Structure formats: structure tokens, C-alpha cells
């Protein structure tokens, strides 16, 4: 799969929230605005991949944990410097295997932490705090209908 480095001015990324035994999977990045803060594993969608596939891939790359999609639970969207459309879709994921491991190039630390630990840690990102407070169960389904040949999709899913 080819990774597109030039994202132009429209960015699409995916994040994964994994909760296991009432502990949340979080990472500390080595760079950027989330450097040294607990945040959810996340990254940009690659060419030829759906946004849900990107969430699963990013979680495994950054943490070693294999997952599957359970739900879409949020969307963060904004414009940077009146130019760049920055979009992040947040998925609830379920662990299916793997073992905790740090991605050496990007990640400083990876951990499963309780809600209390994250709420009390001054290095927990704002978005983690928001999801700690707001995450609620909802009904969820994934459809993979055939949209026909008109758009020539090679992968097609509807989350609702």
C-alpha cells in the first residue's frame, strides 16, 4: 500500500479507543502537538484504505494491539490557519490479540490506564478527557452493500 506523504490541504485521520478490563489504551507521542501527552493511537489514512482500516492499522502499529471496529464514536474536525481541513474520525475498537509494544519511531510510551489514572494525570490530552466523560453505548451496525459500478468502489461500508 502506497503512503501518500503530500496530503494537500485536506487531511483525514483515524483514532482508536480500546477499553480492556476498564482500562483505556493510550500513547505518548514523541512529536507534534500531543508530544508527552496521553492520547489515543491515531494517524492519517493511507491511499487504498478505508478510515476504519486506518484506525485498526494505527492502533496495531503504535501499540502492538490487534483490534476490530465496534463503533464510530466521534468526529473531530477543524481548519488550521484558515487553510488546512483537519479531520479525525474516532472509533471504538475491541482487542483481538497482539501484545503491548511501543512503536520506536513515533511513540514514547504506551499503556492501559484506568479512568481515574487518566483523569488525575496532568499529561492527559483534552480529547482523552472529553471521551472519558462522554463515551456512552449506542446501537451500531456496519453494512457492506453493493453500491453498483457507477462509482467503481473497491471497498464500501456504511456505519450507522
Amino acid at each position: 500500500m502506497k503512503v501518500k506523504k503530500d496530503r494537500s490541504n485536506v487531511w483525514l485521520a483515524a483514532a482508536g479507543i480500546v477499553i480492556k478490563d476498564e482500562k483505556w489504551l493510550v500513547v505518548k507521542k514523541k512529536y507534534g502537538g500531543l508530544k508527552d501527552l496521553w492520547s489515543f493511537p491515531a494517524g492519517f489514512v493511507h491511499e487504498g484504505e478505508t478510515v476504519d482500516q486506518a484506525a485498526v492499522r494505527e492502533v496495531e502499529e503504535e501499540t502492538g494491539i490487534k483490534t476490530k471496529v465496534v463503533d464510530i464514536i466521534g468526529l473531530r474536525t477543524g481548519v488550521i490557519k484558515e487553510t488546512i481541513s483537519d479531520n479525525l474520525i474516532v472509533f471504538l475498537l475491541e482487542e483481538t490479540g497482539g501484545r503491548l509494544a511501543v512503536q520506536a519511531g513515533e511513540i514514547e510510551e504506551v499503556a492501559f490506564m484506568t479512568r481515574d489514572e487518566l483523569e488525575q494525570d496532568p499529561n492527559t490530552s483534552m480529547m482523552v478527557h472529553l471521551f472519558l466523560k462522554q463515551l456512552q453505548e449506542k446501537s451500531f451496525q456496519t453494512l457492506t452493500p453493493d453500491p453498483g459500478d457507477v462509482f467503481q468502489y473497491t471497498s464500501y461500508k456504511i456505519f450507522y
Side-chain angles (χ1 to χ4, degrees):
M1 184 177 317
K2 183 180 175 188
V3 178
K4 185 175 182 177
K5 296 293 183 186
D6 176 17
R7 291 181 183 82
S8 70
N9 287 336
V10 179
W11 296 354
L12 179 59
I17 296 178
V18 180
I19 305 168
K20 177 184 171 185
D21 300 326
E22 298 185 26
K23 292 185 176 184
W24 298 56
L25 181 62
V26 288
V27 298
K28 282 189 178 179
K29 304 253 184 188
K30 288 184 174 183
Y31 63 90
L34 294 172
K35 182 180 184 336
D36 298 326
L37 296 176
W38 290 115
S39 63
F40 299 122
F44 290 105
V45 178
H46 292 178
E47 284 184 27
E49 139 181 282
T50 61
V51 70
D52 58 304
Q53 290 170 333
V56 168
R57 175 185 51 76
E58 285 291 340
V59 168
E60 185 174 1
E61 284 178 2
E62 292 185 1
T63 71
I65 299 298
K66 296 176 187 254
T67 61
K68 68 178 182 178
V69 173
V70 174
D71 202 346
I72 293 176
I73 56 175
L75 167 67
R76 188 221 60 220
T77 185
V79 177
I80 300 170
K81 298 180 182 177
E82 299 180 13
T83 306
I84 299 169
S85 174
D86 182 19
N87 304 283
L88 175 76
I89 299 176
V90 183
F91 290 87
L92 179 62
L93 305 177
E94 179 182 309
E95 181 182 16
T96 61
R99 61 187 262 284
L100 216 52
V102 171
Q103 181 188 31
E106 291 184 30
I107 305 299
E108 186 69 39
E109 195 173 348
V110 60
F112 276 101
M113 297 176 69
T114 66
R115 177 184 300 271
D116 288 342
E117 289 170 331
L118 288 165
E119 286 174 345
Q120 293 172 17
D121 192 321
N123 294 318
T124 298
S125 71
M126 178 266 310
M127 196 163 89
V128 170
H129 280 292
L130 290 174
F131 279 102
L132 286 171
K133 289 179 175 58
Q134 299 300 321
L135 186 61
Q136 299 175 10
E137 279 191 42
K138 66 177 184 178
S139 67
F140 174 77
Q141 294 185 38
T142 303
L143 295 178
T144 54
D146 181 356
D149 294 332
V150 67
F151 295 110
Q152 299 182 340
Y153 284 106
T154 55
S155 182
Y156 188 86
K157 297 175 190 171
I158 299 174
F159 294 95
Y160 71 102

